[in-house]
Amino acid sequence: MTENQDQPDPVWDAQAITAQLGREPRGVWRVAARCSGDWPAVVETDPRLPDGTPFPTLYYLTCRRLNAALSTLEAEGVMAQMQSRLADDSDLQDQYKRAHDQYIAAREQLGDVPEIHGFSAGGMPERVKCLHALVAHSLGVGPGVNPFGDEALELVSARGLWPHPEPCVTVETEVEND
Ligand SMILES: [Zn+2]
């Protein structure tokens, strides 16, 4: 496998995502953020799959190590703390609502899918239900948009878990490279 490529290679990306997820990426997709060794970290998917199924998850986290680090945060009760702060902070409510609106607007740039109008991800705009979805949004669009995605990334960064120095998937033979 070639790492640190100068140019993204869609075939290599598809192989890398398949190794990360254990299945091929669905629909029409592109890499929205990367982790170590230029592995994909977030995949952006068009909102309707080729078979017609609506696909609301614009940003999906593929990095196994970041997925695991966020699952740990969730198990520690971080989402309940975020949820209770959201209930008491109108500025945070406004930011989170803007993140929700931005998510939907970005998705609508890729296609109008009436079945998922008004629906974003991760519990937005009123609930904190999935750090993986919120962090995927933060990585996909950059800092300053999703307050809880940014915060979760800061927490895993403070633990030295993001960006992660190790290969994203350790068993390189999981990716066929010819
Ligand atoms: Zn990774």
Side-chain angles (χ1 to χ4, degrees):
M1 174 176 309
T2 307
E3 292 194 346
N4 298 309
Q5 302 150 318
D6 294 323
Q7 294 294 322
D9 173 352
V11 174
W12 188 87
D13 282 343
Q15 292 171 336
I17 294 163
T18 301
Q20 289 170 314
L21 301 182
R23 60 167 173 79
E24 293 180 5
R26 300 175 72 192
V28 177
W29 57 270
R30 58 209 68 79
V31 175
R34 292 183 184 272
C35 65
S36 345
D38 279 344
W39 280 71
V42 175
V43 169
E44 178 189 279
T45 305
D46 283 2
R48 195 182 289 285
L49 299 179
D51 69 1
T53 308
F55 197 80
T57 308
L58 176 60
Y59 301 109
Y60 191 86
L61 193 64
T62 63
C63 172
R64 285 190 184 183
R65 292 178 188 275
L66 185 52
N67 267 304
L70 294 171
S71 295
T72 301
L73 285 188
E74 290 186 353
E76 291 170 357
V78 167
M79 289 194 294
Q81 296 165 13
M82 290 173 168
Q83 186 72 53
S84 71
R85 278 164 42 220
L86 183 64
D88 295 335
D89 185 337
S90 63
D91 287 342
L92 193 52
Q93 289 164 15
D94 290 344
Q95 285 179 47
Y96 202 45
K97 174 65 165 58
R98 282 198 297 276
H100 168 75
D101 292 341
Q102 191 280 337
Y103 195 104
I104 291 170
R107 192 177 59 209
E108 287 181 350
Q109 297 267 310
L110 300 173
D112 183 34
V113 178
E115 298 96 312
I116 54 177
H117 274 179
F119 182 79
S120 61
M124 290 188 281
E126 293 177 348
R127 304 276 301 160
V128 182
K129 290 177 70 176
C130 177
L131 295 182
H132 306 79
L134 300 178
V135 165
H137 185 203
S138 281
L139 286 174
V141 299
V145 176
N146 194 305
F148 292 126
D150 290 357
E151 204 176 301
L153 261 186
E154 284 164 18
L155 288 169
V156 294
S157 297
R159 295 178 182 186
L161 300 174
W162 181 262
H164 61 76
E166 315 88 345
C168 194
V169 176
T170 48
V171 185
E172 296 206 358
T173 52
E174 286 182 45
V175 182
E176 298 292 328
N177 197 24
D178 55 13

